[in-house]
Amino acid sequence: MQAAENSMNNNKSYTGIDCFRLIAAYLIVAIHTSPLASVSAQGDFILTRIIARIGVPFFFMTSGFFLISGYSRDGQKLLSFVKKTVSIYALAILMYIPVNIYNGYFRMEPFLPELIKDILFDGTLYHLWYLPASVIGGSLAWYLAKRSGYKKAFAVTAVLYILGLSGDSYYGFTERIPAFRYFYTLIFQVSDYTRNGIFFAPVFFVLGGFLADNEGGVFCGNGFPAAQRTDKDGTGNSPKSAERALIKNYLGFAVSFALMFGEAMTLHGLGVQRHDSMYVFLLPCMYFLFRILLGFRGRRLTRVRTLSLVIYIIHPLVIVALRLFAKIFHLQELLVENSAAHYLSVCLLSTLAGIVITVFTDNFKPKKRKSGGGTDRAYVEVDLGNLEHNVREIQKIMPEGCQLMAVVKAQAYGHGAYETAVHLNKMGVGSYAVATIDEGIALRRYGVKGEILILGYTAVSRARELKKYDLTQTLISFEYASLLNKQGIFVKTHLKIDTGMHRLGIPWEEFSKVEKIFSMKNLRIDGMFTHFCCADSREPADEAFTRGQIARFYALVEEMEEKGIPVPKLHMQSSYGLLNYPELSCDYVRIGIALYGVFSSPGDDTLIKPDLRPVLSLKCRVTLVRNIKAGESVGYGRAYTAERESRIALLSIGYADGYPRALSCGRGQVLINGQAVPVAGRVCMDQLAVDVTDAGEVARGDVATLIGMEEDGGISAPAIADNAGSISNELLCRMGGRLPVIVKI
Ligand SMILES: *Cc1c(COP(=O)(O)O)cnc(C)c1O
């Protein structure tokens, strides 16, 4: 868990936003405790009704930022956002029932309509309105942005905001016009205020999403930019333009805040405010503030997120408890009547309680990860920034409406199924492929959401598990489909068609069998696919073969259409299929090796040449350095004999870790301190020796790089796979055994 949370490169996580969550939470506590009330009414208004009013919109924008990015409007993320918020809301409602009883809440009349109104809009306790507003506002904004894009979504939500304003800070003006007064009277029967999920929240969600897609930033965590996003303002490219953008943001914030201040003071002075949540200049103010915060990148502070939420939810409870405590111990003068001390105590106690709860929930979360090792022996290091980059590159090539199915079989080709899939999931990738049912179950245990397709055979006796873990099974033959259907358990499936590879699948000519499979009542057929056997080759004969496979697949599809069988989602291409046949417009592409940023073999040529970056490095330690005399040998079979006095370093990695034995005796090279040194003698199961005679200082504990790029050159997976008579795919996936996966920070 820890590794994944701290996984981001230093300059990539939104530290500014994470930190401001805490500030925003304290601002909201201020609204509910009025810290300056006992000193100055004016000061209190400025603090709690103007400055602190940026707290809630900030939270809406943050949610929008992570929820509404162009990349993943597939509903999955919205659903999990809604689910999460609703559960928190339900918990909070339960938690506050005692307070509500004390307040006489349950004696209100008419009870049921009032309760429904509160649950939907006002919250069953004053601050809880924020949660239903998030659900309603977030969903509305998500839908509008998906349907019509940001411009129209902004236009619509801005109109809603103006309607909201007119029933909030500007109501004193609005209510003078009878038609408006009538309109708002109706509204106020349903919701006590206009600061709710319909008028207030949506515009901030849209703004957050817009910034996620247009801020030219590097995305990580829950956010991910639209694939075709252009880096218009060049943020992050030239330091000059970045500096200019920064100044613009600060200036923009200062000016809009000053205007908002003037606006608020004027409206307050005129006495027209019905409520004081919404101002015209709050919008630009939030926009610039958020842009400023986006500039602060660094460590990801996941716990601060939970902490700020907990503070938000529980501070009213703390207020009640504190008052009770003060009453019992006669400390009211100090803890309640002194408003500043009151505020600070509430902040302090809420924070302490928040820390306890955060740590508690952290420790009691199911430990999803296999217990990892460290970097003291041999390890795989994965660069998730490069993984994100590759996803984005692949997205650019994919046709409209096509989904990325990330192939994460065999420990994500040795990159760690947990590290890779969980990260892809957070980025919004909604579809995965694995080879076996147990790989699929492991993903679910890691908490991976979305569709998981098992590409290979699963014993039909495990149908119940397919259903339990919501896995999608490939129907590999007619016989298999019949047997699976007979289990009497309704399962999701994709139908595999053999178009010439002659591995798995129903032969494409056997339409009648396909037809029968579609009539099997326990199989829900969501997809149909085929696999190319030579899409990596651009030889004319191979290309003709692949074209033939495509034609056969579509011939079957056509026949289905003619016979009125509903055609499910279709997919054909794996990595090379996409790169060499990008014009096919399928519903999915099943991408494995390209996701990990390497070709199968060094010389491979593809029609489309995306900028892919290797995700994996393979490293180990020098465990001992020894001198040997000329004529002495090293290792099994005495395969290496020193011709001169030599220095030999032993490395803590062997073929059991996935380093090919075929690289023995100088066929493989290793980087130590930037120097390439040859493998001396045979690679053993758990260790190997290298000749470091000419490599300068080498000491125990030094890191040796077996695969990976260093400052001056590097060793690529395709190159050493080729040396070992194999391809990167095999080389990489063999590292999924006993090596710990370390996420590059
Ligand atoms: C492994 C596999 C893929 C992924 O192939 P890459 O070449 O790594 O992209 C796609 N489809 C099927 C059926 C596979 O078995």
Side-chain angles (χ1 to χ4, degrees):
M1 207 61 213
Q2 213 47 42
E5 282 171 2
N6 298 336
S7 65
M8 302 326 308
N9 279 354
N10 279 338
N11 54 357
K12 285 181 184 168
S13 221
Y14 299 103
T15 318
I17 292 182
D18 281 346
C19 289
F20 201 80
R21 287 171 199 260
L22 216 51
I23 297 173
Y26 291 137
L27 285 177
I28 292 165
V29 177
I31 298 178
H32 299 143
T33 50
S34 293
L36 300 180
S38 56
V39 190
S40 140
Q42 179 92 335
D44 186 61
F45 179 80
I46 292 171
L47 175 63
T48 64
R49 310 291 130 165
I50 307 179
I51 298 174
R53 285 308 185 197
I54 62 185
V56 166
F58 163 79
F59 282 119
F60 286 146
M61 280 183 82
T62 306
S63 299
F65 184 82
F66 291 117
L67 177 69
I68 310 177
S69 63
Y71 178 72
S72 57
R73 291 192 196 124
D74 59 1
Q76 275 293 338
K77 225 155 71 171
L78 177 69
L79 198 69
S80 75
F81 170 78
V82 170
K83 265 192 202 159
K84 197 171 146 189
T85 314
V86 168
S87 356
I88 294 171
Y89 188 32
L91 203 71
I93 290 177
L94 291 179
M95 197 170 98
Y96 278 101
I97 283 180
V99 177
N100 282 335
I101 292 175
Y102 179 80
N103 287 345
Y105 180 85
F106 295 101
R107 287 194 299 269
M108 69 188 170
E109 297 270 357
F111 183 69
L112 202 60
E114 284 293 324
L115 183 70
I116 292 171
K117 177 177 138 182
D118 282 350
I119 286 178
L120 284 182
F121 296 112
D122 298 324
T124 55
L125 199 77
Y126 54 91
H127 71 310
L128 295 181
W129 70 272
Y130 165 78
L131 295 163
S134 284
V135 171
I136 295 173
S139 310
L140 191 64
W142 181 91
Y143 175 75
L144 288 170
K146 178 185 163 83
R147 219 193 113 116
S148 336
Y150 287 115
K151 265 195 201 138
K152 284 192 186 149
F154 182 74
V156 173
T157 52
V159 168
L160 289 173
Y161 186 77
I162 291 167
L163 286 174
L165 265 181
S166 315
D168 194 89
S169 291
Y170 286 80
Y171 190 60
F173 298 126
T174 329
E175 70 174 342
R176 290 183 199 159
I177 305 163
F180 281 127
R181 194 167 63 219
Y182 180 70
F183 172 70
Y184 284 101
T185 312
L186 285 183
I187 287 178
F188 292 139
Q189 275 175 14
V190 184
S191 168
D192 286 348
Y193 303 99
T194 50
R195 60 113 177 82
N196 58 29
I198 292 175
F199 299 110
F200 185 44
V203 71
F204 295 108
F205 271 89
V206 170
L207 274 182
F210 171 78
L211 284 174
D213 278 348
N214 292 277
E215 184 50 14
V218 184
F219 281 76
C220 62
N222 302 324
F224 198 75
Q228 267 85 16
R229 182 172 51 76
T230 48
D231 200 349
K232 266 177 283 180
D233 59 358
T235 322
N237 286 341
S238 97
K240 253 224 177 105
S241 72
E243 201 172 288
R244 241 179 291 139
L246 200 70
I247 293 172
K248 223 165 65 185
N249 291 340
Y250 278 104
L251 253 173
F253 177 68
V255 170
S256 27
F257 185 78
L259 287 169
M260 180 168 89
F261 185 84
E263 182 187 6
M265 294 308 279
T266 311
L267 295 169
H268 185 54
L270 292 172
V272 293
Q273 289 182 294
R274 178 177 185 273
H275 188 62
D276 41 36
S277 277
M278 302 166 84
Y279 300 109
V280 173
F281 290 104
L282 182 58
L283 286 180
C285 206
M286 291 315 299
Y287 175 79
F288 288 113
L289 174 66
F290 210 83
R291 288 184 60 129
I292 292 171
L293 295 174
L294 283 178
F296 294 94
R297 303 280 177 92
R299 255 172 62 86
R300 188 160 164 190
L301 308 172
T302 319
R303 285 190 172 168
V304 173
R305 298 181 187 181
T306 321
L307 182 60
S308 61
L309 177 72
V310 174
I311 292 175
Y312 183 85
I313 302 281
I314 66 166
H315 75 269
L317 205 59
V318 171
I319 295 175
V320 174
L322 188 69
R323 280 171 186 262
L324 201 66
F325 176 85
K327 199 166 169 185
I328 294 170
F329 294 96
H330 302 289
L331 291 170
Q332 278 129 314
E333 213 166 297
L334 176 67
L335 291 180
V336 179
E337 280 148 35
N338 180 335
S339 59
H342 179 59
Y343 170 67
L344 291 177
S345 327
V346 172
C347 284
L348 187 72
L349 290 173
S350 305
T351 309
L352 286 179
I355 289 172
V356 171
I357 293 174
T358 307
V359 170
F360 183 83
T361 50
D362 242 28
N363 288 345
F364 285 83
K365 254 186 221 159
K367 286 279 173 283
K368 289 170 178 170
R369 190 187 183 215
K370 58 179 199 255
S371 58
T375 61
D376 50 333
R377 188 185 166 262
Y379 56 98
V380 157
E381 187 180 82
V382 292
D383 185 334
L384 296 178
N386 282 359
L387 180 71
E388 289 188 21
H389 169 86
N390 296 338
V391 168
R392 219 171 306 147
E393 284 291 299
I394 291 162
Q395 283 282 142
K396 279 190 213 162
I397 308 165
M398 285 163 43
E400 186 93 12
C402 176
Q403 272 199 59
L404 172 67
M405 183 184 282
V407 182
V408 293
K409 59 192 180 190
Q411 288 296 338
Y413 293 43
H415 294 63
Y418 172 82
E419 289 75 7
T420 310
V422 168
H423 193 73
L424 289 169
N425 216 214
K426 279 186 187 159
M427 284 164 59
V429 172
S431 188
Y432 300 83
V434 293
T436 72
I437 184 171
D438 291 309
E439 288 179 344
I441 293 173
L443 292 192
R444 289 290 185 231
R445 293 213 167 121
Y446 300 150
V448 170
K449 305 263 181 351
E451 187 179 18
I452 299 177
L453 174 64
I454 302 167
L455 297 169
Y457 168 80
T458 300
V460 293
S461 57
R462 301 187 72 179
R464 202 170 298 282
E465 285 169 276
L466 290 174
K467 189 177 161 104
K468 176 174 172 195
Y469 292 99
D470 190 22
L471 303 171
T472 305
Q473 174 59 40
T474 296
L475 301 173
I476 61 170
S477 68
F478 178 72
E479 187 202 9
Y480 182 81
S482 316
L483 280 174
L484 187 58
N485 183 50
K486 279 203 195 105
Q487 302 305 306
I489 294 164
F490 191 67
V491 286
K492 293 186 186 172
T493 63
H494 281 202
L495 178 56
K496 183 151 192 189
I497 304 299
D498 175 23
T499 54
M501 184 161 182
H502 299 145
R503 197 172 64 174
L504 300 181
I506 292 103
W508 69 280
E509 315 95 306
E510 299 186 1
F511 174 75
S512 62
K513 287 193 174 156
V514 171
E515 195 173 21
K516 271 191 203 130
I517 292 177
F518 271 91
S519 71
M520 293 178 179
K521 68 174 195 312
N522 290 320
L523 306 181
R524 184 176 117 180
I525 303 171
D526 294 330
M528 187 165 95
F529 69 105
T530 190
H531 194 46
F532 300 144
C533 51
C534 55
D536 56 329
S537 163
R538 299 184 65 203
E539 294 291 322
D542 291 330
E543 233 184 285
F545 190 87
T546 306
R547 297 265 172 228
Q549 286 195 283
I550 297 168
R552 286 170 217 137
F553 189 66
Y554 279 128
L556 176 67
V557 171
E558 233 166 73
E559 194 161 358
M560 285 169 59
E561 277 168 348
E562 277 165 23
K563 300 281 163 61
I565 298 177
V567 178
K569 295 201 166 166
L570 303 177
H571 47 114
M572 295 189 253
Q573 302 130 291
S574 54
S575 299
Y576 283 94
L578 177 67
L579 299 182
N580 283 329
Y581 302 87
E583 73 282 0
L584 297 176
S585 72
C586 293
D587 297 300
Y588 298 99
V589 284
R590 305 184 301 270
I591 304 297
I593 196 72
L595 211 53
Y596 307 109
V598 292
F599 276 143
S600 295
S601 302
D604 283 350
D605 183 30
T606 49
L607 182 67
I608 304 259
K609 299 173 175 63
D611 165 35
L612 298 177
R613 300 179 187 166
V615 176
L616 174 143
S617 303
L618 177 65
K619 298 184 178 179
C620 71
R621 297 280 179 177
V622 172
T623 53
L624 123 78
V625 183
R626 66 161 78 247
N627 296 314
I628 59 164
K629 298 199 190 89
E632 290 184 321
S633 69
V634 176
Y636 288 121
R638 297 171 56 211
Y640 172 90
T641 306
E643 288 167 2
R644 51 175 178 163
E645 204 161 297
S646 302
R647 270 162 71 72
I648 299 292
L650 269 297
L651 304 185
S652 50
I653 191 166
Y655 58 76
D657 300 297
Y659 192 75
R661 187 168 178 275
L663 296 177
S664 296
C665 302
R667 288 195 72 89
Q669 296 213 322
V670 170
L671 294 174
I672 301 180
N673 302 328
Q675 294 255 6
V677 296
V679 174
R682 290 188 192 153
V683 174
C684 311
M685 188 183 284
D686 317 302
Q687 46 193 323
L688 61 84
V690 287
D691 183 343
V692 295
T693 315
D694 300 322
E697 260 320 280
V698 173
R700 183 172 57 83
D702 282 356
V703 172
T705 302
L706 301 108
I707 298 176
M709 294 301 167
E710 297 200 339
E711 297 82 53
D712 32 11
I715 299 177
S716 78
I720 67 165
D722 198 46
N723 267 350
S726 182
I727 54 173
S728 317
N729 311 46
E730 184 192 6
L731 175 77
L732 294 175
C733 76
R734 278 172 181 267
M735 284 161 201
R738 73 177 178 197
L739 292 175
V741 175
I742 306 296
V743 174
K744 187 172 178 182
I745 309 235

